[in-house]
Amino acid sequence: METDQLSVVALCLLLVSGSTPAYGTLDVEEENPEFWRTQGAKALQAALDRKFNTNVAKNIMLFLGDGMGITTITAARILKGQMNNQSGEETVMIMDTFPHAGLVKTYSVDFQIPDSSSTATAYLCGVKTNLNTVGVNAASRNGVCKTQKGNEVTSILKWAKDSGKSVGIVTTTRVQHATPAATYAHTVSRKWYSDADMPASAKKEGCTDIASQLLNNTDIDVIIGGGRKYMTPKGTRDPEYPRDLASRGKRGDGRDLISDWRKMKVGKVARYVWNRTDFDSVDPDTTDYLMALFEPGDMRFEVERDPIMDPSIAETTEKAIRILRKNPKGFFLLVEGGRIDQGHHASRASMALHETVALDNAVAKGLELTNEEETLTLVTADHSHSFSFNGYPFRGQSILGKSPLYGKDMLPYTTLMYGNGPGYKVVNNKRPDIRNVDTTSKDYVQLSAVPLDSETHGGEDVVVLARGPMAHLFHGVQEQSYLAHAMAYAACVGRDLRHCEGRPQPTNTDGGRNAAVSPVSSISLVTAALTGLLAALLH
């Protein structure tokens, strides 16, 4: 049977035209077994020479790829190489160089497959919870305000702030979105961005919106992302899109939270900016607080970003670190590549993968600006997607292209596909003919097996990659909630202070400007109704 299948594969390969590698012939040295033996020996020796860094982590940088499952990492690695005119498969991303790795189980308390709010509560607060809830334990119920009081849980960002460190959040989504919200907010609905998004009963029972909690709950030094419209009174014209009604302020309570934020920082150098020019003018050495909100809602996808108006995630990460690292006690920084997830929900693989490459560039910038001896750096994801890498594409073939093999219907298919989503296009039991379709376009929607308006998350484990002090704690297969506890232990914040007992704390005050350069810089659904509800909650 296997021989017959291979014969079919070989026959198909002979019949398909235009199937040569897109980036030229492969390196002949790969045909020599000594190439692989030498490579293996070097990797082995590097592992044998590795020593555990048991320092106390002065700083923690957590890079979170929202929806960045292992398939996404693999495909983005290839894309990054191909963007540099390489074959792609052998490319080494910055996150690939992290010496310690583990797998993380992502389920929430009530669902096998989670959303970004329940997962963020897990890896930031150290407690697993229910779908759609943020910064509360699993005794809370989705959307039921009266179950919130007394069930709040705090995050490692607050633990770090309480210990005297500076703290910041950088995201490509709105700063009130699920992932950043879990650092500072407590709510039974991740959708309560502003008071206008809340039911009257919830407000009457004392629950508050996420945007107002951004100001009131924790003193955050750096806040960068989108989300202007949730901060201003209803009808307030957006400075960038004054004629766009959807971009105008949403708040029903009449509060201008941006103005309130400024008033709270009297006596400090606090800058609010909404465009690239003002952002570039912010001097990190003299700035105590920064709030930068570049869009009314989420920031633009990387491939659609206007560099004249909006900085990249690598640039926002750099600004945040330069402000935060002035604190001699160190800092905690969350950097979220949040639109990886949104690209996948739209089944636009090109969008999702370019966002992943952009996040990897931000990781590189973070490592460049910090000292690995004193900075614990993690790269992980909150969940995966129904995203598959399939077929038998040749080496060097475009990761966004088509498999050289045709289906039994004698029609081609793309190497990247989705299990469900808006890409379902079967008509009269026939798939569309994509032979003349440019599947590498940023707007191309990959085919899917099941029709949905929005593609869903996946439930498999995600990877956690670590380097720096106590990075070896991130190993094996762990519950997602373990990450917060391991980060806190490494930095001696929160409840467990055993790691710093009897040990001197870091005292260098140069803000990291003279720090050593890092090595990297030198080198179920039961009914249709439930389906619709979940799509609305998770998108």
Side-chain angles (χ1 to χ4, degrees), residues 47-53 100:
L48 293 170
D49 293 341
R50 185 175 302 141
K51 301 292 189 295
F52 288 168
N53 178 345
H100 299 280

Side-chain angles (χ1 to χ4, degrees), residues 276 279 305 307 310-320 365:
R276 176 64 177 263
F279 177 78
R305 179 176 61 87
D310 301 327
S312 68
I313 188 173
E315 291 169 319
T316 54
T317 297
E318 177 175 5
K319 185 79 75 173
K365 181 58 66 176

Side-chain angles (χ1 to χ4, degrees), residues 237-245 247-248:
R237 290 176 180 268
D238 187 80
E240 188 173 0
Y241 313 105
R243 296 183 179 181
D244 182 14
L245 296 178
S247 297
R248 294 185 178 179

Side-chain angles (χ1 to χ4, degrees), residues 32 38 55 72 235 323 338 381 388 401 404 468 473 506 523:
N32 184 346
T38 300
N55 294 340
T72 299
I323 293 173
S388 67
L473 296 179
I523 36 162

Side-chain angles (χ1 to χ4, degrees), residues 465-500:
L465 305 163
R467 66 187 309 150
M470 306 305 289
H472 55 282
L473 296 179
F474 301 90
H475 69 108
V477 181
Q478 306 288 350
E479 295 287 358
Q480 196 163 39
S481 50
Y482 169 77
L483 300 188
H485 299 286
M487 285 188 287
Y489 179 87
C492 289
V493 300
R495 295 183 177 184
D496 192 345
L497 304 179
R498 287 176 297 165
H499 185 44
C500 60

Side-chain angles (χ1 to χ4, degrees), residues 150-170:
N151 291 319
E152 297 89 350
V153 292
T154 56
S155 76
I156 188 171
L157 179 140
K158 179 170 172 50
W159 309 340
K161 187 69 178 184
D162 289 346
S163 72
K165 297 181 185 295
S166 294
V167 296
I169 53 176
V170 171

Side-chain angles (χ1 to χ4, degrees), residues 150-415:
N151 291 319
E152 297 89 350
V153 292
T154 56
S155 76
I156 188 171
L157 179 140
K158 179 170 172 50
W159 309 340
K161 187 69 178 184
D162 289 346
S163 72
K165 297 181 185 295
S166 294
V167 296
I169 53 176
V170 171
T171 182
T172 54
T173 66
R174 67 206 83 173
V175 296
Q176 306 86 359
H177 210 252
T179 300
T183 64
Y184 61 85
H186 314 287
T187 178
V188 290
S189 177
R190 58 176 287 187
K191 294 295 185 179
W192 292 350
Y193 301 124
S194 78
D195 64 320
D197 300 310
M198 299 177 64
S201 59
K203 288 185 279 189
K204 185 177 180 180
E205 292 171 357
C207 286
T208 57
D209 63 278
I210 296 171
S212 66
Q213 293 187 55
L214 177 60
L215 272 65
N216 298 334
N217 289 2
T218 303
D219 185 27
I220 303 175
D221 302 271
V222 175
I223 302 166
I224 302 177
R228 290 192 296 255
K229 65 183 178 180
Y230 305 108
M231 307 290 283
T232 55
K234 183 177 181 180
T236 302
R237 290 176 180 268
D238 187 80
E240 188 173 0
Y241 313 105
R243 296 183 179 181
D244 182 14
L245 296 178
S247 297
R248 294 185 178 179
K250 289 177 60 71
R251 299 199 64 81
D253 58 8
R255 292 182 64 189
D256 183 337
L257 297 183
I258 296 170
S259 177
D260 290 352
W261 179 82
R262 285 174 167 147
K263 293 175 183 176
M264 294 169 66
K265 309 305 178 188
V266 174
K268 298 291 185 178
V269 178
R271 295 286 307 275
Y272 167 73
V273 301
W274 61 268
N275 60 69
R276 176 64 177 263
T277 301
D278 291 344
F279 177 78
D280 288 346
S281 72
V282 173
D283 182 357
D285 291 334
T286 60
T287 300
D288 300 313
Y289 292 91
L290 173 63
M291 179 185 287
L293 305 179
F294 294 106
E295 289 290 331
D298 299 324
M299 293 180 67
R300 294 181 179 274
F301 282 107
E302 176 63 20
V303 296
E304 296 176 338
R305 179 176 61 87
D306 181 356
I308 296 176
M309 289 300 298
D310 301 327
S312 68
I313 188 173
E315 291 169 319
T316 54
T317 297
E318 177 175 5
K319 185 79 75 173
I321 293 172
R322 290 188 182 276
I323 293 173
L324 297 173
R325 72 181 184 179
K326 300 195 304 291
N327 187 337
K329 292 186 177 181
F331 66 83
F332 171 86
L333 176 64
L334 169 67
V335 179
E336 183 202 19
R339 302 217 70 187
I340 300 170
D341 175 75
Q342 294 173 358
H344 280 317
H345 278 308
S347 295
R348 296 164 71 183
S350 176
M351 291 293 204
L353 298 187
H354 279 91
E355 291 294 305
T356 308
V357 172
L359 179 64
D360 194 55
N361 294 336
V363 175
K365 181 58 66 176
L367 295 179
E368 175 188 328
L369 295 168
T370 56
N371 181 351
E372 186 171 343
E373 288 303 303
E374 63 181 18
T375 304
L376 172 63
T377 304
L378 301 187
V379 178
T380 190
D382 47 0
H383 55 73
S384 184
H385 277 266
S386 69
F387 185 51
S388 67
F389 181 9
N390 69 128
Y392 293 95
F394 292 102
R395 275 287 299 276
Q397 191 167 313
S398 172
I399 189 62
L400 297 170
K402 309 174 186 77
S403 171
L405 299 182
Y406 281 20
K408 291 178 66 176
D409 55 5
M410 296 309 296
L411 292 173
Y413 57 93
T414 53
T415 301

